[in-house]
Each structure stands twice: as structure tokens, then as C-alpha cells.
Amino acid sequence: MHKYILKRLLMMIPIILGVTFVIFFMTYITPGDPAVLTLGEAAPAEAVEALREEMGLNDPFLVRYFNYVINMVQGDLGNSFVTRRGVIDEILDRFPTTLMLAFYGTILSVIIGIPLGIISATKQYSIFDNAATAIGLLGVSIPNFWLGLMLILLFSLNLGWLPPSGLDTPAAWILPVITLGTGSAALVMRITRSSMLEVVRQDYIRTARAKGQKESIIIWKHALRNAMIPVVTAVGLDFGFLLGGAVLTESIYALPGIGRFMVESITRRDFPIIQGGVLFLAITFSFVNLFVDVLYAYIDPRIKSQYK
């Protein structure tokens, strides 16, 4: 298992380099001069040119990229053009909000999606199955930004039960988590249902029933564990996507997360923040995938035996 983990960590190196090159090239060809945006349109040309030299914007593309990679290996992602603070400091200040939002959204999707998927699979073609499938399709189809706005109108403006923005109280997390986790819950439900339907038709499930085993033990102990591999994959990938895909939710509810901060940095042409944010999220997503792969071995002993 240790060799497998080391191999996956080594495979992350070309992925990270590819991500850095793509985002660095995209920011390079993006119109707009960060020096002008920093100093203002009325700034003297000499001051703009001096700031460009200080930022390294006059160097050729490959030189700038090479210097960026060298500094990145040393743990330095540069400084923000706007705040002049280190990129790492700016990201780490906002990452806990995005992490908790993605975590709570994933927990909500698991709590709703897995039980609904199990019941839908064990009662196939029933009224409950049809209703759960319809709810799942509805949850996948509703855009997050529309759902967030509707929740604010209903529970904040009309009923006054929950705050429309901020994270001052625990109740402030409810609407953002529902907005972010609803679509994920629908996806988890559909994958759980599909996987469970495949497992409950296996011979060993019929044998367990023929021996008189309780249906609850058959479903929760035998069927669910063997059906969890696709579900764990979906949950892990979904958690990684929520880390980078919470931009709209953070913007709607005015949350101080990475997604909202990166959107603001794009409008201000703050290239170090954009590059560092994308790189940070890519590395986090890679580690989430590694954790999911390692988790496979503890769910299915057959997978663990392959690495001994």
C-alpha cells in the first residue's frame, strides 16, 4: 500500500506542472495590464513601467514561467498585486470557509442520497422509487444560483427564519449548505440506486435470502458494502468539485471563501492569486482522489490484497 501511495504522489507531479502551465498561459494572454490596474489609469507612465519591472511583467513568458515553478517548489507562490500579501496567506485565510462549506455539503448529500438510493433500489418500480427518481432528476436540474436566490427569498426575506448572508451564527450555514448539497445529494442517490440494483441481483444475495437471513442484514451488511465503491468514488469526486465549484454559492451568500476571492481577483487582474488559487485547488483535489483510492482498500479486502 505504501508503494501505491508513493506512486500516486509521484504521478501528481506532472499533473501539477500541467495545471501551472495552463493557468500561467491563460493569465499571460488575458488582456489588461496589472500595473495599470494597480496604480490606476491616471498613473504616470514611468511609475507604471517601474511597477511592471518590479512585478517581472517585462520578462519573456518562458522566463516568467520557469521562475514561477522554481519559487513554487520552494513554497513561494508570489505576492498579490493588490494587497501585496503572500498568495499562500491570502488563500489559507479563506480556505477554511470553502473547506467547511464543501464538507457540510458533502455530508448533506450522503445523509440524503445514500438512504434514498438504497430504499429506491430495494423497492424498485414502486411509488417511492418513482418519486425518488423524480426528486433526483429535479435536484440535478436546478441550478445552484437559482436555488440559492429562491431560498433567500423564502426563508430570509419572507419568513425571516435564517440570515441571508455571512457566517456569524451556525444558522447562517444552513442555506449555503442546502444550496450546495442538493445537487450532490441527487447524484449520490442515483449512483447508489444503480449500484445497489446491480448488487442485489447477485447469486450470494439470493443465497443469503434462501438461508433465511434477515432482509435488513442482507441489505446493510452484504449488499451495501459491495455497492459502496461507485458511491465512494462519486462522493470523493463530488467533494473535490465542491471545493472549486462553490463560487456561485459563496457569491450569493457573500461568504469569504476561495471561490469568491478568485472571482474578485479575476476582475482585478490579480494574476498571482488566480494562479495560486487554481494550483491550490488542483493539489487539494488530487489528494482527495488519493484518499478515495486508499479508502477502496478498506471497503473491499480484494483491492487491499492486490497491494500486499
Side-chain angles (χ1 to χ4, degrees), residues 39-146:
L39 297 177
E41 296 289 344
E46 295 81 5
V48 172
E49 186 62 26
L51 184 59
R52 285 183 56 84
E53 188 67 29
E54 178 185 347
M55 292 178 173
L57 300 177
N58 293 329
D59 296 331
F61 170 76
L62 292 179
V63 174
R64 292 171 56 186
Y65 176 70
F66 180 77
N67 292 334
Y68 182 78
V69 172
I70 295 298
N71 294 330
M72 178 188 70
V73 173
Q74 299 174 356
D76 181 14
L77 297 180
N79 296 324
S80 169
F81 289 164
V82 178
T83 65
R84 299 294 183 176
R85 292 185 65 202
V87 172
I88 290 293
D89 296 332
E90 294 282 9
I91 292 175
L92 292 181
D93 287 346
R94 294 163 175 82
F95 181 64
T97 300
T98 301
L99 178 63
M100 295 304 296
L101 184 62
F103 177 76
Y104 290 146
T106 304
I107 293 297
L108 178 65
S109 68
V110 170
I111 292 175
I112 297 176
I114 292 182
L116 285 180
I118 294 173
I119 299 174
S120 180
T122 54
K123 301 183 181 297
Q124 189 180 12
Y125 303 130
S126 64
I127 296 178
F128 184 88
D129 182 24
N130 294 331
T133 302
I135 293 173
L137 292 174
L138 186 64
V140 173
S141 303
I142 295 178
N144 281 353
F145 69 88
W146 184 86

Side-chain angles (χ1 to χ4, degrees), residues 169-300:
T169 61
W173 287 92
I174 296 178
L175 293 184
V177 170
I178 293 176
T179 302
L180 196 62
T182 303
S184 302
L187 178 63
V188 171
M189 187 277 291
R190 296 177 63 187
I191 293 178
T192 303
R193 179 183 183 275
S194 176
S195 183
M196 284 291 294
L197 284 176
E198 183 179 351
V199 171
V200 296
R201 294 167 181 166
Q202 299 297 320
D203 293 337
Y204 65 88
I205 298 295
R206 287 193 289 267
T207 301
R209 285 176 175 152
K211 290 182 177 181
Q213 186 64 267
K214 292 183 179 179
E215 187 68 17
S216 59
I217 296 179
I218 293 175
I219 296 300
W220 293 99
K221 185 176 180 180
H222 298 290
L224 181 60
R225 184 169 184 178
N226 290 283
M228 282 300 292
I229 294 295
V231 178
V232 169
T233 303
V235 172
L237 293 177
D238 187 64
F239 176 72
F241 282 124
L242 291 182
L243 285 174
V247 177
L248 292 176
T249 304
E250 291 176 357
S251 300
I252 292 172
Y253 295 99
L255 304 181
I258 293 180
R260 181 187 175 200
F261 183 57
M262 289 181 61
V263 171
E264 295 173 351
S265 299
I266 291 174
T267 60
R268 296 181 298 191
R269 301 296 192 276
D270 197 348
F271 295 150
I273 294 295
I274 301 171
Q275 296 163 359
V278 173
L279 177 62
F280 184 84
L281 292 176
I283 294 175
T284 304
F285 190 83
S286 299
F287 275 105
V288 170
N289 286 337
L290 176 60
F291 175 76
V292 170
D293 289 345
V294 174
L295 192 60
Y296 289 163
Y298 295 95
I299 296 176
D300 192 342

Side-chain angles (χ1 to χ4, degrees), residues 151-169:
L151 291 177
I152 291 175
L153 288 175
L154 177 61
F155 293 102
S156 297
L157 298 182
N158 293 335
L159 299 177
W161 291 353
L162 299 170
S165 62
L167 297 175
D168 299 332
T169 61

